[in-house]
Amino acid sequence: MSGSPAAASPASAVFDRRFKPSVIARLLGEYVIGQEEAKRTLAVAVYAHYRKLALTDAEIIKSNVLLIGPTGTGKTLMCATLARVLGVPFVTADATTLAQTRYVADEIEAVLDRLVDNAGGDARRAQHGIVFIDEVDKLKLAHAERGGASAESVQHALLKIMEGAPVRLRGGAQLDTSRVLFICGGTFVGLAEIIASQHSFGVVSTTGADSRKIMERLNSHVKPTDLVSYGLIPEFVGRLTVVARFGNLGRDELVRIMTEPRQSIYGQFRAIFAGEGVELAVAPRVFAEIADLAIEYKTGARSLRGLFEEMVGPVLFAIPDRPDVKRVEFDSLYDEPRLVAGAGGA
């Protein structure tokens, strides 16, 4: 990564003071489009966490993180990218999977086993890793999986490892989770209505644009009581002290996701076609049409890759057998592409 601190082990790289919040946010911006406020919030939280680890060998009070936002807005991508740029082990898990089993402790152990595996089998390095648990909103008390654990019991099980506890893994190894950063995520459908009904900052008289902005920010802030009203137990909420909100992605942001980041879907397929000696050219209109479909499907960025691959797949199937073709042009998602032959081609 250009301009980023050199990758190294957690002891040297993550604790390197060059990983300032502004640097972390900038590095996230190379891979994740939009969600600028969430990037800043997460960058500060992660910086503070690893600085705490660097400053003391004693037990620390962690500030685990909660990410709230619609599906396809980049929550998982941002966490995975964060771990990659910092060079720390990373693993994801779904709270719904934990709730579907009666053996929650075994499932949690399996998640931590994967964290150690991703740390190259080094349990000490795994203790500086990041665990992302998605769909925690599905653990609200009114929800229960048939034949699985209760939502409350899963919250209590997660609470224990988020606070910090020694967990015995397969083969007898032990992992202390007191230094692992836990990031939870969820869509939290209906939370906005709870916030609107419980916050009363609007009664304060305000004048001027700055004052109104302050009131809007206060009114949109997620309080612990909002999450408890939603259905999370107070103890679980208390371990998620940092909250970052993700907004819906607009058409322009969805277009940028396909074209701008490192490892963008467009860049990847241009490289694949170039390997066949063919230039791939996709008109801006095509990306807008794909973005419009993603918005219609209400899937955010999640469906962009599938839609793009569905478009280029038939052409990529044929291109290796067509050495005469030197350029492929897509002018519309709904029109056949043009296959342009090179000099001497058919």
Side-chain angles (χ1 to χ4, degrees), residues 48 76 135 143 153 167 239 244 247 274 276 286:
T76 304
E135 298 188 335
H143 180 80
S153 66
V167 178
R239 298 309 298 170
E276 300 292 338
V286 177

Side-chain angles (χ1 to χ4, degrees), residues 49 52-53 56-64 112 115 126-129 159-167 175-182 239:
H49 173 76
K52 288 177 187 176
L53 297 187
T56 178
D57 289 329
E59 182 179 349
I60 66 170
I61 300 176
K62 290 190 297 178
S63 297
N64 297 303
L112 297 176
L115 182 66
Q127 290 179 173
H128 298 102
L159 169 65
K160 182 179 179 181
I161 65 165
M162 287 165 58
E163 285 181 329
V167 178
L175 177 67
D176 184 358
T177 64
S178 62
R179 302 169 80 81
V180 175
L181 178 64
F182 288 85
R239 298 309 298 170

Side-chain angles (χ1 to χ4, degrees), residues 37 199 212-222:
E37 185 173 349
H199 292 199
R212 283 194 295 273
K213 288 180 181 178
I214 293 173
M215 291 301 105
E216 289 172 1
R217 183 173 181 180
L218 289 172
N219 282 324
S220 65
H221 182 69
V222 180

Side-chain angles (χ1 to χ4, degrees), residues 64-68 75-76 79 90-99 104 107-108 111-112 114 130-139 154-155 157-162 180-188 236 240:
N64 297 303
V65 183
L66 176 63
L67 309 181
I68 296 175
K75 299 185 294 295
T76 304
C79 292
F90 175 72
V91 69
T92 65
D94 286 330
T96 48
T97 301
L98 299 176
V104 180
E107 287 297 320
I108 290 176
V111 171
L112 297 176
R114 286 193 287 121
I130 297 174
V131 175
F132 177 61
I133 304 172
D134 202 5
E135 298 188 335
V136 294
D137 54 317
K138 303 301 191 297
L139 298 178
V154 177
Q155 289 188 54
L158 289 174
L159 169 65
K160 182 179 179 181
I161 65 165
M162 287 165 58
V180 175
L181 178 64
F182 288 85
I183 303 177
C184 296
T187 57
F188 287 87
F236 186 71
L240 296 167

